[in-house]
Amino acid sequence: MLPTVTVEIWSDVVCPWCYIGKRRFEKAVELLRDTANIEYVFRPYQLDPTAPVGAPTPVKEAYAKKFGGPERADEIMAHVSGVAAGEGLGFRMDRALRANTLLAHRALWLAEATGHQHELKERLLQAYFCDGLDVGDPDVVADCADAAGMPRERVLAFLQSDDGTAEVQQQLRVAAEAEITAVPTFV
């Protein structure tokens, strides 16, 4: 019988290093599958919890504001896109829309309970980094959940309620209390 290792991965769906880190982690899990049973779960982290709800902005604008102008934003986007390509990910940062990610994290919380979290995390990351979709939009999140095997209408109704909000906020507090300030963080 193989030993079991449980890993919590604190990440955000708008963090390029979280998508790259997810890919690298999955490769490591595959390499270790004969030596350990590795179980993992994604936990919420918001890079920008103050991002306005319902008002996505092109990521280039957000990066320019945060990192010192459009040229620096282009450099960062080119760099992470190149690293992502090395992991088989086709980033389209020119399409990416920075959004508030609370709804996405609530859906991921729900997906954990239904066994669809890994699939939903992948689909949300792909939606943001490759498809240029607004991962803060309830319809987009519900579509991603549907693609991950969850009932779209049930997820949409969940997102239109307050269900899961307190639980996600608690997990965000746990990250803060654990002094998690950069993601991805693997615990």
Side-chain angles (χ1 to χ4, degrees):
M1 185 166 181
L2 297 175
T4 298
V5 177
T6 303
V7 180
E8 290 181 302
I9 305 170
W10 301 88
S11 70
D12 200 354
V13 298
V14 297
C15 168
W17 298 108
C18 292
Y19 202 3
I20 293 164
K22 178 182 180 296
R23 233 356 140 256
R24 291 175 175 174
F25 180 79
E26 290 167 342
K27 288 178 184 176
V29 167
E30 183 59 28
L31 289 171
L32 297 171
R33 69 182 159 89
D34 293 333
T35 60
N37 177 27
I38 301 173
E39 298 174 356
Y40 59 100
V41 63
F42 293 98
R43 298 290 182 223
Y45 186 90
Q46 287 189 285
L47 288 175
D48 184 4
T50 66
V53 174
T57 58
V59 76
K60 182 175 178 175
E61 287 179 27
Y63 280 19
K65 186 175 182 179
K66 183 176 182 176
F67 298 115
E71 287 147 6
R72 182 68 181 128
D74 286 337
E75 290 171 4
I76 291 168
M77 290 169 33
H79 174 69
V80 297
S81 294
V83 174
E87 299 300 325
L89 299 169
F91 279 14
R92 288 294 311 268
M93 299 292 286
D94 59 313
R95 295 180 184 177
L97 297 171
R98 180 55 71 93
N100 188 294
T101 58
L102 184 59
L103 286 181
H105 289 301
R106 287 180 51 221
L108 286 163
W109 176 84
L110 177 66
E112 179 185 359
T114 65
H116 294 92
Q117 193 189 52
H118 295 176
E119 295 86 355
L120 179 57
K121 181 72 167 190
E122 179 68 26
R123 184 61 197 113
L124 287 165
L125 290 164
Q126 180 185 0
Y128 179 77
F129 287 102
C130 305
D131 302 336
L133 299 177
D134 177 4
V135 295
D137 181 296
D139 285 309
V140 170
V141 174
D143 287 344
C144 289
D146 184 60
M150 299 171 70
R152 184 191 190 288
E153 293 307 315
R154 179 172 174 245
V155 172
L156 191 56
F158 172 84
L159 294 173
Q160 291 169 342
S161 74
D162 287 332
D163 294 346
T165 301
E167 292 83 355
V168 169
Q169 293 291 353
Q170 175 58 29
Q171 289 178 346
L172 290 167
R173 281 190 295 278
V174 167
E177 290 166 5
E179 298 181 6
I180 295 173
T181 59
V183 288
T185 295
F186 299 84
V187 179

